[in-house]
Amino acid sequence: MSRTKARAALLQELEEAMRRSSAQGVLYGQTVANVAGIANSDLECMDILHLEGRVTAGRLAEVTGLTTGAITGVVDRLEKAGLVRRERDEGDRRKVFITVVPEAAMKIGELYVPLQQAMERVWSAYSEEELRLLLRFANEGYKGVLAATSALKGHLDTPPEKRPDLKMRKLPRRP
Amino acid sequence: MSRTKARAALLQELEEAMRRSSAQGVLYGQTVANVAGIANSDLECMDILHLEGRVTAGRLAEVTGLTTGAITGVVDRLEKAGLVRRERDEGDRRKVFITVVPEAAMKIGELYVPLQQAMERVWSAYSEEELRLLLRFANEGYKGVLAATSALKGHLDTPPEKRPDLKMRKLPRRP
DNA sequence: ATATATATCTTAGTCACTAAGAGATTTAGC
DNA sequence: GCTAAATCTCTTAGTGACTAAGATATATAT
């Protein structure tokens, strides 16, 4: 097999392996939501709150892509479950800040422990230099996917007759 | 900073970077479904069909975790959209095989082109040896997440009083 | 002041999902 | 072979999260 062919095969394997692991990651998240007894997007919001801390309802809508009406429902459910609290902003009384209730949120955090442990087990076999490579890739990959997402969204906003044709993708391997 | 501390910090960065990029991957998938005008799980089924080829309705239910009733709905919608066909198995007439309609499915495949291009741009900066490392990690990571998923599911099946306590997770960094 | 903008919530209606079970076919036990 | 149990898909009724549109309350601009 020629040099560039070997690389092409490697890239295809890589693409498939990443798709598989990413799909499994989604499944893990669904299982967490299931065990926690909350909806999928409720968990997503908990995650955002975990990352960003104190966040307005509007920003949750922005980040999740849900309507503000849907966010009202999300926060209602999370509040009823004791996971978050609403706090009116005193400076601008239209705004509602959502904050996590740490003790309750920790119970959800625990559900990620199996995943963390599994990943730490995997990572333990890598040298620091290798880990740095993985980190670099994770960051660059993130940027790439982000760019691809807005490219695709842009494609959606473009009127059909003006859309540049996307190049064809390989057919299923088992047709 | 000590050697092991540097590594711990690296691991934490890594975890976060992977979470971010994986979340973005989910978003890309949702956008694809949106542009294609089909539901999220409809797209997931298309993906499975793409991977496995000819598949029974029951197997789709198995893989997606949906009920068979829900799969009936999925296949109804996909069939109406001209993306798949139902084919009764002649050997066992209870079974219904689902097959993709290649020409129609290709249109969906095209929506992954921006993602593929972005990833190829990222990968182009890596040596073959580095790509092999990424592939190794993707495969090991997949196995890790898979194991973690069934561990978490097992936790769900265990009666609450018998559940081993999962270790605590770090609190949000911005409390 | 009045108008416009912003932020959240409400309401009505839609759509995908589950649970339970019906219908059709196959497999197993006798 | 015939009956009973098992398997596979579909149907039905009901639920819950979502959207779109607009109501409400507060803030900003002219």
Side-chain angles (χ1 to χ4, degrees), chain B residues 12-29:
Chain B
Q12 190 166 340
E13 250 192 295
L14 200 48
E15 188 191 330
E16 210 171 305
M18 300 237 157
R19 268 226 329 238
R20 229 195 343 256
S21 61
S22 139
Q24 193 58 43
V26 173
L27 250 165
Y28 189 87

Side-chain angles (χ1 to χ4, degrees), chain A residues 19-116:
Chain A
R19 267 220 340 231
R20 230 196 342 258
S21 62
S22 140
Q24 193 58 43
V26 174
L27 250 166
Y28 189 87
Q30 285 177 353
T31 309
V32 168
N34 247 331
V35 174
I38 63 180
N40 227 298
S41 33
D42 296 14
L43 181 62
E44 194 193 342
C45 285
M46 287 302 292
D47 241 42
I48 293 162
L49 288 168
H50 176 84
L51 280 171
E52 304 207 1
R54 202 159 166 265
V55 156
T56 65
R59 170 129 183 94
L60 280 182
E62 212 176 287
V63 177
T64 56
L66 298 179
T67 61
T68 59
I71 292 296
T72 299
V74 169
V75 176
D76 282 352
R77 291 190 297 272
L78 289 177
E79 197 174 34
K80 199 150 86 180
L83 292 168
V84 306
R85 262 196 283 274
R86 278 182 165 94
E87 287 172 9
R88 273 229 116 78
D89 183 4
E90 288 309 317
D92 181 345
R93 300 191 44 75
R94 291 168 305 177
K95 287 186 188 165
V96 171
F97 277 108
I98 318 297
T99 61
V100 298
V101 175
E103 317 85 59
M106 214 177 332
K107 292 228 176 92
I108 289 196
E110 283 172 19
L111 300 179
Y112 285 100
V113 170
L115 181 62
Q116 289 176 309

Side-chain angles (χ1 to χ4, degrees), chain B residues 130-149:
Chain B
E130 289 173 328
L131 291 177
R132 268 196 294 270
L133 177 70
L134 293 181
L135 177 60
R136 184 186 135 208
F137 173 72
N139 283 327
E140 289 176 355
Y142 167 69
K143 280 183 210 148
V145 180
L146 190 66
T149 306

Side-chain angles (χ1 to χ4, degrees), chain A residues 15 19 145-156 163 166 169, chain B residues 23-47 50 78 83 104-116:
Chain A
E15 187 192 330
R19 267 220 340 231
V145 180
L146 190 66
T149 307
S150 51
L152 186 57
K153 274 193 183 139
H155 192 257
L156 181 61
R163 286 182 194 168
L166 300 169
R169 192 182 183 221
Chain B
Q24 193 58 43
V26 173
L27 250 165
Y28 189 87
Q30 285 177 353
T31 308
V32 168
N34 247 330
V35 174
I38 62 180
N40 225 300
S41 33
D42 297 14
L43 180 63
E44 193 193 341
C45 285
M46 287 300 291
D47 240 42
H50 176 86
L78 288 178
L83 291 167
M106 215 179 327
K107 292 227 177 94
I108 290 196
E110 283 172 19
L111 300 178
Y112 285 100
V113 170
L115 181 62
Q116 289 177 308

Side-chain angles (χ1 to χ4, degrees), chain B:
Chain B
M1 203 185 251
S2 81
R3 198 97 222 96
T4 68
K5 252 203 160 157
R7 192 179 164 101
L10 191 58
L11 287 176
Q12 190 166 340
E13 250 192 295
L14 200 48
E15 188 191 330
E16 210 171 305
M18 300 237 157
R19 268 226 329 238
R20 229 195 343 256
S21 61
S22 139
Q24 193 58 43
V26 173
L27 250 165
Y28 189 87
Q30 285 177 353
T31 308
V32 168
N34 247 330
V35 174
I38 62 180
N40 225 300
S41 33
D42 297 14
L43 180 63
E44 193 193 341
C45 285
M46 287 300 291
D47 240 42
I48 293 162
L49 288 168
H50 176 86
L51 280 170
E52 306 207 0
R54 201 158 166 266
V55 156
T56 65
R59 170 129 183 95
L60 280 181
E62 211 176 288
V63 177
T64 57
L66 297 179
T67 61
T68 59
I71 291 296
T72 299
V74 168
V75 176
D76 283 352
R77 291 190 298 271
L78 288 178
E79 198 173 33
K80 200 151 83 181
L83 291 167
V84 305
R85 262 197 282 274
R86 278 181 165 95
E87 288 172 7
R88 275 228 114 80
D89 183 5
E90 288 310 317
D92 180 345
R93 301 191 43 76
R94 292 167 305 177
K95 287 186 190 167
V96 171
F97 276 108
I98 318 296
T99 60
V100 298
V101 175
E103 316 86 58
M106 215 179 327
K107 292 227 177 94
I108 290 196
E110 283 172 19
L111 300 178
Y112 285 100
V113 170
L115 181 62
Q116 289 177 308
Q117 286 176 340
M119 290 318 288
E120 267 160 33
R121 220 170 297 133
V122 169
W123 285 330
S124 70
Y126 290 77
S127 74
E128 207 171 310
E129 202 187 332
E130 289 173 328
L131 291 177
R132 268 196 294 270
L133 177 70
L134 293 181
L135 177 60
R136 184 186 135 208
F137 173 72
N139 283 327
E140 289 176 355
Y142 167 69
K143 280 183 210 148
V145 180
L146 190 66
T149 306
S150 52
L152 186 57
K153 273 195 183 137
H155 191 256
L156 181 62
D157 294 336
T158 318
E161 67 278 10
K162 289 193 138 188
R163 286 182 195 168
D165 249 22
L166 300 169
K167 282 218 198 88
M168 223 176 67
R169 192 187 183 217
K170 273 183 213 73
L171 269 175
R173 271 148 308 127
R174 286 167 248 173

Side-chain angles (χ1 to χ4, degrees), chain A residues 154-169:
Chain A
H155 192 257
L156 181 61
D157 294 335
T158 316
E161 67 278 11
K162 289 193 136 186
R163 286 182 194 168
D165 248 24
L166 300 169
K167 284 219 199 87
M168 222 177 68
R169 192 182 183 221

